[in-house]
Amino acid sequence: VLNDFFKEIIVQKTVTITWIKPILVCEILYQSVFANNTLRFPRFRRIRFDKAPQDCTIDQIEGKGIVVNDQF
């Protein structure tokens, strides 16, 4: 039954990546945002049933938190 569910949401599959349709929204906590918009110490907080996937965009985290230089 679960395999049938995944067959419906798979958009594209390659050797290393499987792209799926977004159907759930989760809230992620993080310490800071790197200059390339990746999150430092991300961790799951909760599922958000009050938001639709299309309402979630990268600009919601841009400029939030402490931007650190990720070049070592």
Side-chain angles (χ1 to χ4, degrees):
V1 174
L2 194 56
N3 285 336
D4 294 335
F5 171 76
F6 286 116
K7 286 178 187 175
E8 291 182 22
I9 63 171
I10 292 176
V11 174
Q12 180 182 7
K13 189 170 185 169
T14 65
V15 175
T16 57
I17 299 171
T18 300
W19 293 96
I20 60 171
K21 298 176 190 174
I23 57 171
L24 294 175
V25 173
C26 68
E27 188 171 332
I28 302 296
L29 300 175
Y30 54 91
Q31 183 177 12
S32 58
V33 181
F34 288 102
N36 65 354
N37 289 328
T38 57
L39 304 178
R40 182 174 188 185
F41 301 123
R43 55 214 176 269
F44 174 83
R45 181 172 184 202
R46 63 182 172 161
I47 296 287
R48 295 286 305 262
F49 295 104
D50 60 327
K51 287 190 160 261
Q54 59 270 22
D55 297 334
C56 303
T57 60
I58 191 69
D59 61 324
Q60 292 173 317
I61 64 164
E62 288 178 336
K64 305 279 175 134
I66 302 167
V67 177
V68 294
N69 186 351
D70 57 349
Q71 308 254 325
F72 293 97

